[in-house]
Amino acid sequence: AQSVAQPEDQVNVAEGNPLTVKCTYSVSGNPYLFWYVQYPNRGLQFLLKYITGDNLVKGSYGFEAEFNKSQTSFHLKKPSALVSDSALYFCAVRDGNAGNMLTFGGGTRLMVKP
Amino acid sequence: EPEVTQTPSHQVTQMGQEVILRCVPISNHLYFYWYRQILGQKVEFLVSFYNNEISEKSEIFDDQFSVERPDGSNFTLKIRSTKLEDSAMYFCASSLTPATNEKLFFGSGTQLSVL
């Protein structure tokens, strides 16, 4: 079975500071990892993905994430947070050996204060 | 950017009633999905659909649920006899290729409230 954990319900950061939103996963096969963002009254929007290759993945809006196989983590990062980054962030995983189902974490609310 | 649209945005129904949630996926997409999110809980996979048949479904997707692509544009989720625990935000999604390594495009959701 595949699972995702986002240990923080909320992350608070000041504008201009770096941010990290944590994600750990568990799969039996190769992990395919994704980050999605949800703004109020909107659907989930794709940010970035890791399938294979470089462990550091760059995505939309200046976000990046680092795949760490030994720690089974895929933390989302941004060097300098913007107030407009405030939203709900979801990490998701698909087991490369088991169908197309995406399993999502519980979400982390990012609050960026001016 | 193209969008997945869902209607209605909010549906209120009585327990035991049938509801149909509607979605218009992105026009050239071939794979369609339903997910749901109970308030305060995780986003959960329900079903994936390709070539007019279900390709994968979760344990949540029992006999009370069905999906259909009645024409070339709509993709519907039907709940035959709603239960209180079906109250959730239901998200439709689509992709051009299988979700294997492809991003999904999500709609803004239908909030279903079962009274």
Side-chain angles (χ1 to χ4, degrees):
Chain A
Q2 56 198 51
S3 65
V4 177
Q6 293 181 243
E8 303 153 317
D9 290 336
Q10 182 160 318
V11 170
N12 298 311
V13 65
E15 187 174 32
N17 284 359
L19 69 88
T20 298
V21 182
K22 295 180 180 177
C23 171
T24 58
Y25 66 90
S26 174
V27 296
S28 56
N30 291 324
Y32 292 176
L33 294 153
F34 303 80
W35 276 100
Y36 284 83
V37 60
Q38 185 180 29
Y39 298 101
N41 302 315
R42 300 291 300 275
L44 283 75
Q45 297 178 35
F46 171 82
L47 271 182
L48 50 79
K49 64 181 179 182
Y50 170 82
I51 305 300
T52 186
D54 289 341
N55 290 342
L56 185 63
V57 178
K58 294 187 183 298
S60 307
Y61 313 121
F63 283 93
E64 58 188 30
E66 186 166 13
F67 170 63
N68 188 316
K69 187 174 183 178
S70 62
Q71 296 185 6
T72 61
S73 67
F74 190 56
H75 301 331
L76 181 70
K77 299 181 180 183
K78 187 173 182 179
S80 179
L82 299 172
V83 173
S84 57
D85 293 329
S86 298
L88 192 55
Y89 290 80
F90 291 94
C91 182
V93 68
R94 191 186 80 78
D95 187 329
N97 294 345
N100 292 324
M101 182 177 71
L102 269 183
T103 297
F104 284 86
T108 298
R109 185 163 300 282
L110 174 65
M111 299 290 290
V112 182
K113 298 181 180 178
Chain B
E1 188 170 70
E3 289 187 343
V4 174
T5 56
Q6 289 186 244
T7 55
S9 57
H10 196 176
Q11 174 93 44
V12 181
T13 189
Q14 295 291 325
M15 188 171 56
Q17 295 296 303
E18 174 184 286
V19 294
I20 298 176
L21 309 183
R22 303 181 190 279
C23 168
V24 178
I26 293 171
S27 60
N28 62 336
H29 284 187
L30 302 175
Y31 296 81
F32 314 112
Y33 315 85
W34 283 100
Y35 285 77
R36 79 173 186 188
Q37 184 179 27
I38 296 172
L39 186 63
Q41 298 185 26
K42 296 183 178 184
V43 176
E44 302 172 295
F45 170 80
L46 293 178
V47 66
S48 60
F49 189 85
Y50 169 69
N51 199 26
N52 284 321
E53 61 183 25
I54 291 172
S55 50
E56 195 170 357
K57 61 182 181 179
S58 70
E59 294 175 351
I60 302 168
F61 195 87
D62 61 22
D63 292 344
Q64 292 300 310
F65 291 88
S66 63
V67 289
E68 191 179 28
R69 187 156 165 82
D71 52 41
S73 60
N74 290 287
F75 179 52
T76 62
L77 174 70
K78 181 192 291 185
I79 309 175
R80 288 189 184 80
S81 178
T82 51
K83 302 187 281 283
L84 295 176
E85 54 265 38
D86 293 328
S87 296
M89 179 71 86
Y90 287 81
F91 292 106
C92 174
S94 69
S95 63
L96 180 59
T97 58
T100 309
N101 59 358
E102 183 59 66
K103 67 179 181 181
L104 301 185
F105 290 79
F106 284 85
S108 55
T110 294
Q111 180 66 54
L112 177 65
S113 300
V114 181
L115 305 179

